[in-house]
Amino acid sequence: MSSSMVAKRYALALLQIAKEKQLLGVMLEDLRVIKEVAGYTPELKAVLHSSKLTKETKKAVLSQAFASVNVYVLNTLLLLVDRQREDYLAAVADEFLALANEEMGVAEADVYSTRALSDAEREAVSAVFAAKVGKKALNIKNFVDSDLLGGLRLRIGNRIYDGSLRGKLDRLERKMLG
């Protein structure tokens, strides 16, 4: 079975539990943390991939590292270890985040600007572009890119909206040369 299918099965089961127990927001935050920790902690990866450690030791490490997460999320992590699917930890978190965002009508957006956006600017961008992509809201990650010169560039899924001064100058240059 492909890795995305495995991850999706676990994520769907977690989503079903989250909806039944009305814990979607809590589990969403827990899995964001797990994704970040799994992605940026090489020591955790080393422990989980070690063939010298027993399942019980790996489960103890996970239980200690993620003691504050929801019990259903923790049990899913322990189940992944039991079934020797530790490699899927980040993939399950990714799948869950995607499914939960879809359930709530939220899209992930990368916003590139010349300076950090204020909360009011984030809200305005979210309101305008969420309607364009048919969502209720956008979960914005802001990246500062001084090469833009001004304006914004957004990436929502596989769509790119370029309202930057750099983008306009590049389009003008292509028009003049072509």
Side-chain angles (χ1 to χ4, degrees):
M1 194 177 321
S2 75
S3 65
S4 63
M5 295 262 304
V6 171
K8 193 163 193 151
R9 278 191 177 180
Y10 285 96
L12 279 168
L14 263 178
L15 182 68
Q16 186 177 0
I17 292 169
K19 288 179 359 188
E20 284 174 9
K21 306 290 183 185
Q22 298 177 349
L23 295 168
L24 192 58
V26 172
M27 290 172 81
L28 186 68
E29 278 309 307
D30 287 348
L31 283 158
R32 273 201 183 109
V33 169
I34 288 168
K35 177 185 172 188
E36 196 166 313
V37 169
Y40 296 112
T41 312
E43 295 88 359
L44 180 64
K45 286 181 185 177
V47 166
L48 292 176
H49 291 107
S50 174
S51 59
K52 294 178 182 175
L53 297 175
T54 65
K55 285 182 186 180
E56 296 310 314
T57 306
K58 291 178 183 182
K59 287 165 69 173
V61 168
L62 281 177
S63 295
Q64 198 171 24
F66 298 114
S68 63
V69 300
N70 181 284
V71 67
Y72 300 111
V73 174
L74 183 59
N75 286 341
T76 302
L77 298 179
L78 300 179
L79 185 63
L80 287 170
V81 172
D82 275 338
R83 301 221 173 131
Q84 298 178 341
R85 293 185 165 170
E86 303 93 345
D87 296 347
Y88 299 114
L89 199 93
V92 170
D94 280 335
E95 283 290 337
F96 182 86
L97 295 175
L99 291 169
N101 282 341
E102 189 64 36
E103 182 74 24
M104 296 184 309
V106 175
E108 296 286 330
D110 294 337
V111 178
Y112 299 88
S113 58
T114 55
R115 60 176 173 75
L117 297 177
S118 68
D119 289 339
E121 291 168 331
R122 283 174 180 261
E123 289 297 320
V125 168
S126 177
V128 170
F129 285 95
K132 287 186 183 223
V133 295
K135 299 290 180 181
K136 293 178 187 172
L138 295 179
N139 188 6
I140 293 176
K141 276 192 270 182
N142 187 205
F143 299 97
V144 176
D145 183 0
S146 58
D147 292 341
L148 294 179
L149 302 177
L152 299 173
R153 186 172 67 224
L154 281 88
R155 189 170 103 1
I156 305 169
N158 60 358
R159 293 183 184 167
I160 295 176
Y161 298 93
D162 192 352
S164 67
L165 187 54
R166 168 59 52 210
K168 289 177 184 177
L169 289 172
D170 289 345
R171 286 190 293 278
L172 180 63
E173 180 182 25
R174 279 195 304 270
K175 221 179 215 182
M176 291 176 74
L177 293 175

